[in-house]
Amino acid sequence: MLAALDSTIVSTALPTIMGELGGVDHLSWVVTAYLLAQTIVTPIYGKLGDLYGRKIVLQVGIVIFLIGSVLCGLSQSMLQLIVFRFIQGLGGGGLMVTTQAAVGDVVSPRDRGKYQGLFGAVFGVASVVGPLVGGYITNHWSWQWIFYINLPIGIVAMFVLATTLPSRSIKVRHSIDFVGAALFSVFLCTLILATDLGGTMYAWNSPMITSMAAVIVVTFILFIVTERFAVEPVLPLRLFLNRTFTISSVLGMIVGFSLWGSVTYLPVYLQIVNGATPIESGMQMLPLMGGVLTMSITSGRIISATGRYRIFPIIGMAVMGSGLWILSGMKPDVSPFVASLYFLWIGLGLGMIMQVLVIAIQNAVPYRDLGVSTSGAILFRLMGGSIGTAALGTVFKSQLHAQLSKLLPAGENVAEHVVRISPQVMQTLPEDLRAIYTNAFVNSISTVFTVAATIATFGFVLALMLPEHPLKRNSSESAAAVE
């Protein structure tokens, strides 16, 4: 609840934050910084949980997360907020992976569907409450309180952990792959920076982007070599010999790319194009979250009853992909009711995918790899979200500049117009200029959804290749033979 609420409560406040601290050019980095930090530390938390136990790792993650939340609320500039969101993500990554791995410790794969469905329900509840609370707080208090609200929830979470989750009593030999973790961090940070800066601030063939590409290739090769010989690798290469793990991980990356990369802009669209207030945009996002909630619980119960899971990612990718294609054609005059139906459709598809992929992976690997495989599944989803937010942010920025250059009178400074766009400014503009901004925004976001939909369509084809193994009834059973 703590991690999911933070992700959703921020969404409806982003346009207001953008208006106070900086222009739309920086919007994607408020999300990217958080996802990037989560992605970097996810495999480390998974391994630490395997070595030291889930309880202490979760407690450390909560403390870091709460420190980051306080710092975010104290931010006085967009740069500060981005840095502090990164710190917050260093803790948030531990919350996401360690909670799901803890379920794998105590629940058999056959029954895991019900419990992962409950995780999906918690995410759904947070998703329903988050945009509404975020909109209310932004309207009536200030956006800083969307971060401060994590403190009481975090204190409750610490108390529940201390009183209910047992500590590990088995002593194991500890070996952390710090070199591999560092190489992975450099690789991912450079990749996302190149994706964000290429084609906008720097040309793709510029010395800066070319140097970044060289760093990406070198660190990737060194990471593979390091993981091959590490005693306790952060991401064991043997996992990729398992077809279920590999396909599920790529599907998770596609879901993260399409979801975070595109849905980040829905509240912006609703507030800037349709003139919705933060709380109104939160209300219009409810069907998307309701779809996630409904299908997470429903799919979990069906999986526990039948022991079958493969059909859900296939249907889910088809539903989500078609929903993104529909959004790519959305017009400024679309009614809130029709837009909500589009959001519901995407949510129904998403609810059939995320938790099911974790179940499939946990069922396919040996128990000794439970933590690291769970973190791997979430790692690739977060990596997709980080890359998707940066890549689609670049698409959005370049399209917005191009659209404004085409629509504004000759000689206008496009960069100045981009910086000033915010929900507050839109309400004060003359009708003709507001129409130009609106058309530019609609056309730019349409391109974002088109790219996301194309990626999701590839995910549907890949989901057809996902194998299915009968779900095991004992959480410590050996996995099926590696394919």
Side-chain angles (χ1 to χ4, degrees), residues 243-244 247 310 314 458-468:
R243 187 179 170 198
T244 299
I247 293 179
R310 179 175 177 267
I314 295 173
F458 171 73
F460 167 72
V461 175
L462 186 64
L464 296 172
M465 306 177 190
L466 181 68
E468 181 170 52

Side-chain angles (χ1 to χ4, degrees), residues 164-348:
T164 61
L165 191 65
S167 300
R168 163 170 286 189
S169 58
I170 301 174
K171 300 296 183 181
V172 296
R173 208 180 90 188
H174 308 302
S175 177
I176 307 296
D177 180 19
F178 290 110
V179 175
L183 287 169
F184 177 77
S185 301
V186 174
F187 161 75
L188 189 61
C189 288
T190 309
L191 175 63
I192 291 174
L193 280 173
T195 304
D196 185 66
L197 300 177
T200 53
M201 186 173 293
Y202 298 98
W204 286 110
N205 59 353
S206 66
M208 176 64 74
I209 301 300
T210 304
S211 300
M212 287 185 177
V215 172
I216 291 168
V217 172
V218 171
T219 52
F220 178 76
I221 294 173
L222 290 176
F223 175 73
I224 296 299
V225 173
T226 300
E227 297 304 277
R228 172 69 178 81
F229 295 102
V231 177
E232 295 280 359
V234 293
L235 190 61
L237 300 182
R238 65 177 179 275
L239 292 177
F240 293 98
L241 298 175
N242 187 308
R243 187 179 170 198
T244 299
F245 177 85
T246 302
I247 293 179
S248 296
S249 296
V250 177
L251 284 175
M253 181 180 290
I254 291 172
V255 169
F257 186 103
S258 301
L259 174 68
W260 275 300
S262 58
V263 174
T264 296
Y265 292 94
L266 283 179
V268 181
Y269 180 95
L270 295 171
Q271 293 181 40
I272 289 184
V273 175
N274 292 350
T277 65
I279 196 167
E280 288 172 346
S281 67
M283 289 289 291
Q284 291 180 46
M285 293 286 287
L286 285 181
L288 189 150
M289 311 312 178
V292 174
L293 171 64
T294 301
M295 286 312 303
S296 291
I297 296 175
T298 303
S299 61
R301 289 187 175 277
I302 294 175
I303 289 170
S304 290
T306 64
R308 301 291 180 179
Y309 56 82
R310 179 175 177 267
I311 190 63
F312 290 102
I314 295 173
I315 298 176
M317 290 302 304
V319 171
M320 189 184 78
S322 62
L324 289 170
W325 280 115
I326 292 172
L327 288 185
S328 70
M330 194 162 58
K331 303 299 182 184
D333 58 353
V334 65
S335 70
F337 175 74
V338 173
S340 295
L341 291 180
Y342 297 162
F343 302 160
L344 172 64
W345 187 247
I346 292 177
L348 291 173

